[in-house]
């Protein structure tokens, strides 16, 4: 069943979308969590070293008699990829543990910008630049050298963290790849589970459809008998009572409505079971449109409605279609237009040739119109825009559903253009179908 296939696909897509958002959230959360954990550890290491270097350098400033080569060699405190530069209060570099010669110009630029911006706090910042066609990330911090409660200089400590960030990026990519695989597996599992969840619904729907088909088929015979009996009574000259005549007429009208409903239900049941088949023949579509207009003319005249045949009225348009179903389609659309057009209105039936093996059939009226919200539902079974008026006119809400089914069988298209109070226009694109 197409409805269950679509429902299964929609459930799977909905489940996949939820899973995708969940996995994206997990990946983003893990990425920033790992980034925070790594960055905080690196920052703590830099700040500890900056304090140590500043304390050592403050000791040297206080004991100028100690030569640098005789003092505690601060360069031995540097760890892998760590470096520092010490400047006095006049901006002269007095000590250092150099970074790699490849990134040192970048480091010195950072320090110069830092000094110009007068950063005296111990914030940690990450700087990026492409060096020798390779992205480089440097994490740096600064710490003042305090001698006798005065700033005697600044220590700038940094570390190249390119490898750390590259590793973090690769781990994020790996997580994303695993998430995609997990999403594919979850979608497959979701598709299987959606199929299992729909099984009871499918069985219930199948029973309902089978009941509708069986009931419709079984009701046709007794309705025919009732109609024949009513016809006999109507033609019986011995019945002269006006009241009985009225009752017999009402019975005939109700039987006709029931017969139409049963016939429509049978068509719907067959379409659900894919039992509706088309018998394509070379058909003069123009003659079919003319015939439909003639059939509906008495009903239109009864309501003082002008039923106009427009378009290529004098041109024969021939397509390979199922003649009976196309006539049924045209009759449904014109009948609806006449029913829902007030007295004195106009219904225009037009048929125009489009491309090769294509034609456009339109039915426009000056009726009550259809709201935007209702336009999305009018092709649903048993849906009626004006329920009270539909019951009064014998509508059952299956006409447009059957019309759409006929259009789908012919690989065509049906559209509606309407505005409340200004009328409705149904546009059907018809095309020739193969004989297979």
């Amino acid at each position: 069943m197409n409805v269950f296939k679509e429902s299964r696909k929609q459930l799977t897509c909905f489940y996949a979308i939820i899973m995708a958002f969940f996995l994206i959230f997990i990946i983003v959360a893990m990425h920033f969590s790992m980034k925070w954990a790594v960055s905080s550890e690196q920052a703590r290491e830099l700040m500890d070293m900056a304090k140590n270097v500043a304390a050592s350098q403050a000791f040297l400033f206080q004991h100028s008699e100690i030569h640098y080569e005789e003092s505690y060699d601060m360069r031995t405190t540097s760890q892998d990829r760590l470096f520092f530069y010490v400047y006095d209060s006049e901006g002269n570099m007095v000590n250092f543990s150099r970074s790699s010669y490849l990134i040192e110009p970048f480091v010195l630029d950072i320090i110069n910008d830092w000094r110009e911006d007068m950063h005296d706090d111990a914030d940690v910042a990450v700087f990026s630049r492409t060096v020798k066609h390779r992205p480089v990330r440097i994490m740096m911090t600064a710490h003042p050298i305090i001698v006798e409660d005065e700033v005697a200089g600044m220590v700038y400590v940094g570390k190249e963290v390119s490898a750390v960030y590259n590793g973090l990026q690769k781990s994020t990519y790996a997580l994303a790849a695993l998430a995609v695989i997990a999403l594919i597996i979850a979608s497959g599992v979701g598709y299987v589970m959606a199929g299992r969840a729909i099984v009871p619904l499918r069985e219930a729907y199948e029973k309902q459809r089978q009941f509708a088909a069986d009931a419709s088929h079984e009701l046709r015979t007794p309705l025919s008998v009732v109609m024949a009996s009513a016809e006999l009574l109507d033609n019986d000259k011995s019945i002269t009572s006006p009241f009985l005549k009225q009752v017999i007429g009402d019975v005939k009208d109700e039987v006709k409505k029931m017969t139409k409903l049963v016939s429509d239900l049978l068509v719907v049941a067959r379409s659900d079971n894919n039992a509706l088949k088309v018998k394509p023949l070379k058909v003069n579509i123009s003659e079919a449109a003319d015939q439909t207009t003639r059939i509906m003319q008495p009903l239109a005249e009864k309501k003082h409605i002008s039923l106009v045949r427009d378009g290529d009225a004098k041109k024969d348009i021939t397509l390979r279609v199922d003649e009976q179903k196309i006539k049924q389609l045209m009759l449904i659309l014109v009948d609806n237009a006449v029913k829902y057009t007030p007295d004195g209105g106009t219904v225009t039936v037009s048929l125009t040739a489009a491309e090769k093996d294509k034609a456009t059939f339109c039915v426009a009226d000056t009726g009550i119109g259809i709201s935007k919200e209702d336009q999305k539902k009018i092709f649903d079974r048993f849906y009626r825009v004006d329920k009270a008026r539909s019951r009064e006119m014998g509508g059952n809400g299956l006409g447009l559903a059957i019309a759409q089914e006929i259009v789908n069988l012919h690989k065509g298209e049906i559209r509606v253009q309407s505005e409340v109070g200004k009328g409705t226009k149904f546009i059907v694109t018809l095309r020739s179908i193969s004989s297979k």
Side-chain angles (χ1 to χ4, degrees):
M1 305 287 292
N2 290 333
V3 63
F4 290 108
K5 289 181 180 178
E6 291 300 321
S7 298
R8 188 176 185 181
K9 290 179 181 177
Q10 289 176 4
L11 285 173
T12 304
C13 289
F14 183 70
Y15 175 73
I17 290 172
I18 293 177
M19 285 295 298
F21 277 111
F22 176 73
L23 290 172
I24 290 172
F25 172 76
I26 291 296
I27 291 172
V28 172
M30 290 188 66
H31 173 79
F32 284 101
S33 297
M34 291 188 296
K35 184 176 180 181
W36 170 81
V38 170
S39 300
S40 60
E41 285 300 311
Q42 298 290 331
R44 183 190 59 79
E45 182 183 14
L46 287 180
M47 294 175 70
D48 288 346
M49 183 173 179
K51 291 178 181 178
N52 293 334
V53 174
S56 301
Q57 191 64 50
F59 176 80
L60 291 178
F61 283 160
Q62 288 176 320
H63 300 81
S64 56
E65 71 280 1
I66 302 177
H67 298 288
Y68 288 127
E69 60 271 11
E70 298 174 359
S71 67
Y72 172 74
D73 190 355
M74 292 180 293
R75 300 168 198 179
T76 61
T77 64
S78 65
Q79 302 176 22
D80 183 35
R81 295 181 181 272
L82 279 170
F83 53 84
F84 65 84
Y85 294 84
V86 180
Y87 288 79
D88 59 18
S89 57
E90 297 179 357
N92 299 315
M93 185 186 299
V94 296
N95 201 358
F96 60 85
S97 176
R98 298 182 62 178
S99 60
S100 167
Y101 74 95
L102 292 175
I103 65 172
E104 189 171 47
F106 180 28
V107 173
L108 295 177
D109 289 342
I110 294 172
I111 293 174
N112 289 333
D113 294 339
W114 204 313
R115 290 172 58 206
E116 290 176 2
D117 293 339
M118 299 297 291
H119 287 286
D120 293 333
D121 51 26
D123 287 342
V124 178
V126 178
F127 305 89
S128 301
R129 180 186 288 184
T130 301
V131 178
K132 300 292 185 180
H133 308 290
R134 180 174 67 92
V136 174
R137 293 176 186 268
I138 295 176
M139 181 180 288
M140 290 194 67
T141 187
H143 196 282
I145 302 171
I146 305 299
V147 177
E148 297 179 355
D149 296 329
E150 292 184 1
V151 178
M154 288 290 294
V155 174
Y156 300 94
V157 179
K159 182 178 183 180
E160 184 182 357
V161 291
S162 304
V164 174
Y165 276 84
N166 290 339
L168 180 62
Q169 188 177 40
K170 288 180 180 178
S171 65
T172 303
Y173 289 154
L175 284 174
L178 291 174
V180 171
I181 296 172
L183 181 61
I184 294 173
I185 295 174
S187 299
V189 173
Y191 185 78
V192 174
M193 297 303 293
R196 291 185 178 180
I198 288 176
V199 168
L201 298 176
R202 185 193 293 270
E203 292 176 352
Y205 185 85
E206 180 63 25
K207 290 178 181 179
Q208 182 184 17
R209 184 204 61 76
Q210 190 62 45
F211 171 77
D214 294 343
S216 301
H217 188 271
E218 293 299 326
L219 283 172
R220 297 179 75 180
T221 300
L223 285 173
S224 299
V225 173
V226 173
M227 177 57 77
S229 301
E231 292 284 354
L232 287 174
L233 291 173
D234 193 31
N235 294 327
D236 191 344
K237 295 181 180 180
S238 64
I239 300 176
T240 58
S241 171
F243 174 73
L244 292 178
K245 286 287 187 182
Q246 181 64 45
V247 170
I248 293 170
D250 292 342
V251 169
K252 288 173 63 177
D253 290 340
E254 292 303 319
V255 170
K256 287 179 182 178
K257 292 178 182 179
M258 283 292 296
T259 302
K260 185 179 184 305
L261 174 60
V262 167
S263 178
D264 289 346
L265 283 173
L266 193 58
V267 170
V268 169
R270 287 175 176 172
S271 69
D272 286 341
N273 201 29
N274 295 324
L276 281 180
K277 304 296 181 183
V278 292
K279 299 177 181 178
L281 297 172
K282 195 172 183 180
V283 179
N284 190 329
I285 304 297
S286 299
E287 289 184 359
D290 293 338
Q291 182 183 12
T292 302
T293 305
R294 288 196 302 271
I295 292 173
M296 294 302 302
Q297 193 68 46
L299 180 60
E301 291 177 354
K302 186 177 180 180
K303 295 182 63 177
H304 307 289
I305 293 173
S306 176
L307 183 56
V308 181
R309 172 74 167 89
D310 200 4
D312 298 334
K314 298 182 179 179
K315 181 179 178 181
D316 289 340
I317 301 174
T318 305
L319 297 176
R320 285 187 60 84
V321 293
D322 188 308
E323 183 175 7
Q324 294 303 319
K325 288 183 172 56
I326 291 300
K327 288 182 177 179
Q328 183 182 10
L329 166 68
M330 293 180 173
L331 190 61
I332 288 171
L333 296 180
V334 178
D335 181 56
N336 275 358
V338 172
K339 281 181 180 179
Y340 293 101
T341 298
D343 292 3
T346 302
V347 174
T348 305
V349 179
S350 62
L351 180 69
T352 56
E355 306 171 7
K356 183 181 179 182
D357 294 332
K358 273 188 178 182
T360 301
F361 177 71
C362 296
V363 179
D365 62 58
T366 57
I368 60 176
I370 305 171
S371 66
K372 293 292 184 182
E373 182 180 355
D374 288 327
Q375 288 179 32
K376 302 175 183 178
K377 305 175 183 178
I378 56 174
F379 295 106
D380 294 346
R381 296 171 185 176
F382 300 105
Y383 185 81
R384 291 175 290 192
V385 176
D386 189 341
K387 296 178 174 58
R389 190 164 184 174
S390 296
R391 291 191 186 98
E392 181 184 343
M393 297 177 178
N396 52 44
L398 289 173
L400 289 178
I402 293 173
Q404 186 179 50
E405 187 66 31
I406 293 173
V407 172
N408 292 339
L409 286 172
H410 288 78
K411 310 297 182 185
E413 181 185 5
I414 183 169
R415 308 189 311 276
V416 60
Q417 297 175 355
S418 183
E419 188 174 346
V420 176
K422 294 187 177 180
T424 303
K425 183 177 183 180
F426 283 92
I427 305 168
V428 180
T429 300
L430 301 172
R431 65 181 69 196
S432 292
I433 56 176
S434 60
S435 57
K436 62 180 180 179

